[in-house]
Structure formats: C-alpha cells, structure tokens
Amino acid sequence: MRESAVIATESQLGRLPSGRSGNGAVITRPSLMKKLQERGVRMTAQRRLLVEIIQDSPRHLDAAGLLRIARKHDEDIDRATVYRTIGLLKRHGLIDELDLMHIEGEKHYYEAKTNRDHCHMACFRCGAIMEYASSGFEKLKQEMAARSGFQIRVVRLEVGGVCKRCQKSAN
Amino acid sequence: MRESAVIATESQLGRLPSGRSGNGAVITRPSLMKKLQERGVRMTAQRRLLVEIIQDSPRHLDAAGLLRIARKHDEDIDRATVYRTIGLLKRHGLIDELDLMHIEGEKHYYEAKTNRDHCHMACFRCGAIMEYASSGFEKLKQEMAARSGFQIRVVRLEVGGVCKRCQKSAN
DNA sequence: ATATGTGCAAATCTTTTGCAAATTC
DNA sequence: GAATTTGCAAAAGATTTGCACATAT
C-alpha cells in the first residue's frame, strides 16, 4: 500500500493535522515551548500566550486572528507583539507560513511545524482547506536537494482548485 | 536517466525558464496574447504593453517592476492598470504568482505560465532563485489529484534554503 | 452607441518601526 | 542592573476602489 493520504479536511480554514494519517504515519506537532526553552529564548507572558495559541489552534491563524484570540486572555496585547513573535518563531523555524492560495485576501497563515511536511489544497469554490501528506512529497524534496545541491530549510507546496464536493454540486 | 533537472539559476531574481531543460524536456511559454484573443478579451494599448512585458521578461517581475518597465514605453500608465491587468491574467490562469519565499519583502512576482510546472528555490543567503522541474513533481500532482479528488488548477511549490555556492563559501 | 477600461487620488489592509516604559534573567 | 521586550502611535508598503473621462468593439 502506498504511503500517502489526505490527513484532514475542514470547511473554511482547515483543521490542522495531528494524529494518524490514513496510511498509518503519525503526524505530530512538537512542543514549541520546549524548543524555545532549549534554545534559551527569553520567555515573556505574551510569548507564552501566543505560542500556546498557535500550538493548540485547531485552525490556521493569521496575525489578526491570533491577536483576536490572544486579547481574550490579555486585553492589552498589541498587534506589534504578535508580529514580532511570529517573526521570532519563523526565524527559529518553528512555524510554517502559508498563503492558502490567497483565498481570503493577502494575509499569511501560520501553523506549528509538524514532524512531517504536508501540503495544503484550497478550494476556490467553498474555501475548504485540505491537508495532504505523502511519501511522494518527501521523495521529491530529497530529489530536489540532491540534484540542485540546495540545502532545503523550508518547503511550501500549495494547490488551488475545486474540491470533490464542489465538483459534484456543479453550481 | 531520470527526467528531472535544474532548469535555470540566476543571481538575484531568477531568469525565467525556456528552452531545453537538462533532461531534454522542452519548456515553453505559450503566447499570452493569443490566448487572450481566443477568449475574446478586449485588448487595449495598455494591456498589450503589459502582456508583452510579462511574456518577454527574462526575470520575475513584481507589480512595481512591471510598472517601472511599462512606463518606459507609456509614461502615463498607472499602477491601478497594472494591478487590474495582473488580476485579469490571474483569473484567466495565464500567469503564475510567486512569493519567492519573501526573500525581498511581501511582494508577489509573476511569470507567464509554462507548459510544464516547475518549482522555485530561493537562497536565503545570496537571494539567488533557482528553477526546478522534474517528473517527480508531475507525478506528485497526479497522485494528489487522484487521491484527494481535487481538480487542481494552480500549483505552487516554493523552497527556501541555502544554495550550493553559499554552502561552500561558508560565510 | 454602449459597454468596458483608464488615470487619478484617496482609501484599505497588512506589516514594520521608533521610542519611552515595563519586564526578564 | 543590564539587556531585552512591550505597547503605543505613527509610518511604510502593497493592493484596491470610486469616479469622471477615454477607448474598444
């Protein structure tokens, strides 16, 4: 049996992958907090809050969404802090940045890096985001690195199209 | 011999692929003008100019760059027209939009769609963009479509890392 | 002649930055 | 106590929009 599978679908902005993908490969999201501590990054109340939200969020968050949720816990937290924390996590390679094919404007979405890369498929009709992991993707990455000599640090594979459901209800 | 190859590298923003890729697969860029005419799109002087620039540009252009070049031929052409034309070409699926890993800020870059999808690898050190096409990429797309039921319209595969050259000159 | 596209200027949206006050180690 | 981070307010950068005029079919 080939090792590839749709690992999650969700209307609107997709639920993040976790647990077991169809083929048995386990998708996990290592603890951001732990990694930050290991690296001796100074932790503030705001960072703890934001990191926890990103880590636990069941959906892809953009900066504004992250701020909105954070404000429920800390009314005074500022946009700038959100952006600065996102920058910090990006620099440490702990989160991935997505466009989701700009299905909802030019914002960026973030998710805690998983142990295994996966790609995002966005439906132009209904806005559903589907996550997809496969061994073919892993192989392609290796091939690209080997043949180009590139040392790959980040990979982003995004697809836009029409999902199965929307194809059927041909409206 | 496997069918995969680096098809172009260029310092700064990469030269667009065309001609023969290492493995013999020919990469072409079908005429945008012709496609627009086929679809009965109304053509204006501005659109003709912009389309020609995008078609012939040896490098990836962002909106500002496109405007700058267009102004050499028509001083009065406006930013808004550039954005509207980009939108038109995107809606018709005639150009691809790239981020190039945001190596130079949040802008988007555009290129005429090629007969064959290829991916972009951006070096975080020197800013070089390398283009890469491979049969593995084609296979992955097919696999993704087949297994997810998605009807794929656009694919974007971008990679960030350190290029061969920069790895050697370990500065 | 009519529908469509353009330039202009202003608006919008996302993200970044300078700085004084607050916080972390 | 020194170095770093925060909130605030303002700035910057990219893209979009309303509208009167110009252009394409």
Side-chain angles (χ1 to χ4, degrees), chain B residues 15-18 29-33 48-61 66 69 73 110-112:
Chain B
R15 199 158 283 279
L16 293 175
S18 69
R29 298 198 271 154
S31 164
L32 299 180
M33 277 299 277
R48 265 187 283 273
L49 174 58
L50 293 169
V51 164
E52 196 187 334
I53 294 172
I54 293 175
Q55 178 95 52
D56 296 344
S57 172
R59 42 180 58 254
H60 298 104
L61 292 174
L66 182 48
I69 295 176
H73 301 83
Y110 301 92
E111 67 177 31

Side-chain angles (χ1 to χ4, degrees), chain A residues 7 16-18 27-30 94 96 111-118 131:
Chain A
I7 51 186
L16 294 174
S18 69
I27 305 275
T28 57
R29 297 199 272 153
L94 300 179
D96 277 320
E111 68 177 29
K113 214 163 207 139
T114 47
N115 63 327
R116 182 161 186 189
D117 281 326
H118 57 275
E131 317 227 347

Side-chain angles (χ1 to χ4, degrees), chain A residues 42 44 46-47 74 76-81 84-85 106:
Chain A
R42 176 180 271 185
T44 63
Q46 294 89 333
R47 282 183 183 170
D74 172 357
D76 295 331
I77 198 165
D78 193 81
R79 217 175 343 174
T81 302
R84 289 191 274 235
T85 303
E106 298 299 300

Side-chain angles (χ1 to χ4, degrees), chain A residues 150-167:
Chain A
F150 239 79
Q151 180 189 305
I152 298 181
R153 280 229 286 268
V154 200
V155 181
R156 196 157 103 187
L157 173 53
E158 300 198 355
V159 170
V162 183
C163 74
K164 205 172 196 168
R165 243 174 71 94
C166 287
Q167 285 172 59

Side-chain angles (χ1 to χ4, degrees), chain A residues 103-115:
Chain A
I103 258 183
E104 285 197 354
E106 298 299 300
K107 32 194 161 183
H108 293 121
Y109 297 90
Y110 301 92
E111 68 177 29
K113 214 163 207 139
T114 47
N115 63 327

Side-chain angles (χ1 to χ4, degrees), chain B residues 12-166:
Chain B
Q12 297 309 104
L13 297 181
R15 199 158 283 279
L16 293 175
S18 69
R20 201 162 283 278
S21 76
N23 51 46
V26 176
I27 305 275
T28 57
R29 298 198 271 154
S31 164
L32 299 180
M33 277 299 277
K34 192 184 278 180
K35 294 226 170 186
L36 288 169
Q37 281 163 0
E38 282 169 16
R39 290 163 192 243
V41 173
R42 176 180 267 184
M43 288 310 291
T44 63
Q46 294 89 333
R47 281 183 184 172
R48 265 187 283 273
L49 174 58
L50 293 169
V51 164
E52 196 187 334
I53 294 172
I54 293 175
Q55 178 95 52
D56 296 344
S57 172
R59 42 180 58 254
H60 298 104
L61 292 174
D62 65 339
L66 182 48
L67 176 61
R68 191 168 31 74
I69 295 176
R71 283 216 161 127
K72 291 181 185 166
H73 301 83
D74 172 358
E75 308 189 332
D76 294 331
I77 198 166
D78 193 81
R79 220 176 340 179
T81 302
V82 169
Y83 281 106
R84 289 191 274 233
T85 303
I86 287 172
L88 175 75
L89 295 170
K90 267 203 286 187
R91 281 197 302 284
H92 283 270
L94 300 179
I95 54 174
D96 276 322
E97 186 180 64
L98 315 167
D99 281 3
L100 301 181
M101 284 332 244
H102 297 129
I103 258 183
E104 286 199 354
E106 299 299 301
K107 30 194 163 184
H108 293 120
Y109 298 89
Y110 301 92
E111 67 177 31
K113 214 162 206 143
T114 48
N115 63 328
R116 182 163 185 188
D117 281 325
H118 56 276
C119 103
H120 295 88
M121 311 178 83
C123 177
F124 289 136
R125 294 249 180 94
C126 69
I129 304 293
M130 180 179 279
E131 317 226 346
Y132 188 99
S134 100
S135 58
F137 188 16
E138 296 298 322
K139 284 220 189 74
L140 178 56
K141 274 166 43 186
Q142 282 167 25
E143 179 200 290
M144 285 172 55
R147 295 198 147 239
S148 67
F150 239 79
Q151 178 189 305
I152 297 181
R153 280 228 287 269
V154 199
V155 181
R156 197 157 102 188
L157 173 53
E158 300 197 354
V159 170
V162 183
C163 76
K164 208 173 196 169
R165 242 172 72 92
C166 287

